[in-house]
Amino acid sequence: MNIKKLTPLLTLLLFFIVLASPVSAAKYLELEEGGVIMQAFYWDVPGGGIWWDHIRSKIPEWYEAGISAIWLPPPSKGMSGGYSMGYDPYDYFDLGEYYQKGTVETRFGSKEELVRLIQTAHAYGIKVIADVVINHRAGGDLEWNPFVGDYTWTDFSKVASGKYTANYLDFHPNELHCCDEGTFGGFPDICHHKEWDQYWLWKSNESYAAYLRSIGFDGWRFDYVKGYGAWVVRDWLNWWGGWAVGEYWDTNVDALLSWAYESGAKVFDFPLYYKMDEAFDNNNIPALVYALQNGQTVVSRDPFKAVTFVANHDTDIIWNKYPAYAFILTYEGQPVIFYRDFEEWLNKDKLINLIWIHDHLAGGSTTIVYYDNDELIFVRNGDSRRPGLITYINLSPNWVGRWVYVPKFAGACIHEYTGNLGGWVDKRVDSSGWVYLEAPPHDPANGYYGYSVWSYCGVG
């Protein structure tokens, strides 16, 4: 639904109806409790300023699906104006309200539409995560830069908001030092050690962080954190709090966890992402299991720091996505669902079912009980809120079954919670902890999704 096409009166009526919703909390788990996140965009979403209203129209359905938070693209006016995806920030304080770079609205819409989106999400108990791009700026004017002996695009004195003006002294190299942890795309690299830049980015009540908080953002996704010190994120969170994750795109688990502990934020589990590609696209589950058992993923070293994903706006290499989503939504870590997977490419009902399983069953530590090239069976051992489960992933084109030892469920009735076996299936685990479990073929084109999930009978 495009709210812009409605009459002003109908738009206002719809707005107040939504805000009058009695919902005040996430349907299942809260964001801070490990609830499921929706990445609410992809690269080159439709332009024309319709995206904020489009996402707002999705909120009621996503609430019913159990989404706890939505991650929005960078909201500020970029160098590319109405074409920008936000990763080339020009005026941090222009959220679609000033005419500059050829447009008033951003690619996604106006500030007013963004605020209505956030208010609607909050009315449904859904948190909103801002994508924060503070490694660099883009779109400045040319000025003479004595530190490089040439002209550089570092003059930001003409930003329409009048806030966070900058010049060559605010970027590397300058009188403080030549550089920091990294540069991106050839854009001017912000020097975060300058008091002026700290003041306008996070360290004051006039800052960009304060501005985003004032319109309702609840959490932060920090872009390209390899480009600046982890202390920046830690200081940002000390000032403004909120759930946070960093994009540290690397497979070095020690480096990712070092950044996570120093910053105080979570981190995307890129090592797991690549191991899932190896396992599920190349029938090499032993490689994934080895990584999990030998601390080569974030989730296996510290699941409370791991944000797991199957695809995002930058990378989408896993093509066997059903087993990958079955894995991240039943394993440890906090999962993210990619917009296009949910809304366009995969069976939405299957993902909604897995969200329910994640929030109601998938608690506690993990024990892997069987694996080979095609099959993976693991047990979640439960916690104070969720009873635990057994996940059986099958990559082969055939029905499979196997006796497995699951002493946690000894003597219990267990139920299959996905419906992938063709109907209602209950089993009794014998008193010694053995049970025979099945999984369907991996053949999504013919309605077989290659996984089953079991837990105690009668949950939910």
Side-chain angles (χ1 to χ4, degrees):
M1 175 177 61
N2 186 345
I3 293 179
K4 286 184 177 179
K5 294 182 179 178
L6 299 175
T7 65
L9 180 59
L10 185 55
T11 300
L12 187 63
L13 179 61
L14 176 61
F15 177 56
F16 283 112
I17 289 173
V18 170
L19 290 186
S21 167
V23 177
S24 60
K27 190 175 181 70
Y28 302 144
L29 289 183
E30 296 284 352
L31 170 66
E32 296 80 6
E33 298 169 329
V36 177
I37 300 163
M38 177 69 74
Q39 181 178 359
F41 65 100
Y42 53 91
W43 199 259
D44 284 346
V45 300
I50 66 171
W51 195 251
W52 295 146
D53 283 345
H54 173 70
I55 294 302
R56 182 172 172 239
S57 75
K58 297 289 184 183
I59 294 297
E61 179 189 3
W62 289 355
Y63 166 77
E64 291 297 332
I67 297 299
S68 72
I70 55 173
W71 159 22
L72 298 182
S76 298
K77 186 71 61 65
M79 175 178 70
S80 305
Y83 299 98
S84 173
M85 282 297 297
Y87 293 95
D88 55 348
Y90 171 67
D91 187 344
Y92 285 102
F93 292 86
D94 180 0
L95 304 182
E97 54 198 302
Y98 302 101
Y99 183 82
Q100 56 186 337
K101 300 302 180 182
T103 180
V104 173
E105 293 189 342
T106 67
R107 181 190 194 102
F108 315 113
S110 68
K111 176 187 174 182
E112 291 76 14
E113 289 162 345
L114 173 60
V115 170
R116 286 200 296 267
L117 163 57
I118 294 171
Q119 290 174 336
T120 301
H122 287 170
Y124 280 89
I126 293 176
K127 302 291 178 61
V128 185
I129 299 166
D131 201 321
V132 176
V133 184
I134 57 171
N135 173 75
H136 53 271
R137 293 181 78 169
D141 295 323
L142 275 174
E143 63 179 348
W144 176 256
N145 187 334
F147 292 100
V148 298
D150 202 349
Y151 287 90
T152 54
W153 301 93
T154 49
D155 178 4
F156 290 85
S157 62
K158 298 175 184 175
V159 291
S161 69
K163 298 180 178 181
Y164 192 16
T165 58
N167 61 31
Y168 66 87
L169 292 170
D170 297 292
F171 302 96
H172 294 116
N174 58 25
E175 79 281 11
L176 292 183
H177 34 61
C178 71
C179 48
D180 60 5
E181 284 77 358
T183 60
F184 181 85
F187 296 129
D189 187 57
I190 296 172
C191 179
H192 296 89
H193 287 84
K194 287 294 190 78
E195 289 292 332
W196 176 260
D197 298 88
Q198 292 180 20
Y199 179 90
W200 283 110
L201 286 175
W202 77 88
K203 206 171 182 179
S204 75
N205 290 326
E206 288 189 281
S207 66
Y208 181 51
Y211 190 39
L212 295 181
R213 272 297 206 190
S214 73
I215 66 168
F217 278 105
D218 306 287
W220 321 98
R221 180 266 186 188
F222 290 93
D223 182 65
Y224 188 60
V225 298
K226 293 176 84 171
Y228 51 94
W231 65 270
V232 172
V233 172
R234 177 170 290 281
D235 204 30
W236 182 297
L237 296 179
N238 284 341
W239 268 82
W240 300 104
W243 184 96
V245 63
E247 182 214 28
Y248 196 109
W249 197 332
D250 206 296
T251 57
N252 184 327
V253 180
D254 291 330
L256 269 69
L257 282 173
S258 176
W259 181 88
Y261 294 137
E262 187 177 348
S263 68
K266 296 191 177 195
V267 66
F268 288 108
D269 198 343
F270 280 97
L272 177 68
Y273 172 71
Y274 289 109
K275 286 299 177 182
M276 287 195 298
D277 176 48
E278 189 174 350
F280 301 137
D281 287 349
N282 297 286
N283 290 67
N284 191 3
I285 286 176
L288 172 62
V289 172
Y290 182 87
L292 294 170
Q293 292 180 335
N294 290 276
Q296 296 178 358
T297 65
V298 178
V299 73
S300 59
R301 293 268 291 274
D302 188 342
F304 298 103
K305 284 294 186 181
V307 175
T308 58
F309 64 101
V310 174
N312 65 29
H313 62 294
D314 282 327
T315 179
D316 189 9
I317 62 174
I318 298 173
W319 50 273
N320 267 339
K321 290 186 174 182
Y322 288 105
Y325 275 113
F327 182 83
I328 69 167
L329 285 161
T330 63
Y331 205 79
E332 297 172 70
Q334 185 161 14
V336 178
I337 294 177
F338 184 45
Y339 175 92
R340 302 197 83 168
D341 288 338
F342 189 84
E343 291 292 339
E344 300 176 13
W345 292 340
L346 301 184
N347 183 315
K348 185 182 294 188
D349 289 337
K350 291 300 176 187
L351 292 178
I352 291 172
N353 169 253
L354 285 170
I355 295 168
W356 185 94
I357 287 171
H358 172 271
D359 284 6
H360 290 83
L361 304 177
S365 61
T366 306
T367 304
I368 295 173
V369 297
Y370 179 81
Y371 67 94
D372 60 25
N373 284 338
D374 295 326
E375 298 175 45
L376 172 62
I377 306 173
F378 60 84
V379 174
R380 294 293 302 280
N381 294 301
D383 56 26
S384 60
R385 294 189 59 177
R386 293 172 286 179
L389 53 74
I390 310 165
T391 295
Y392 192 162
I393 292 174
N394 170 34
L395 303 181
S396 80
N398 306 308
W399 288 87
V400 293
R402 201 165 291 281
W403 284 96
V404 290
Y405 181 57
V406 288
K408 169 185 169 51
F409 294 96
C413 170
I414 60 172
H415 175 70
E416 203 289 307
Y417 279 89
T418 70
N420 287 345
L421 298 183
W424 187 279
V425 180
D426 289 345
K427 288 182 176 287
R428 177 70 60 177
V429 183
D430 73 24
S431 60
S432 62
W434 285 92
V435 65
Y436 187 81
L437 299 179
E438 301 92 6
H442 177 69
D443 186 10
N446 290 305
Y448 297 106
Y449 296 95
Y451 62 88
S452 58
V453 181
W454 310 76
S455 188
Y456 295 106
C457 295
V459 178

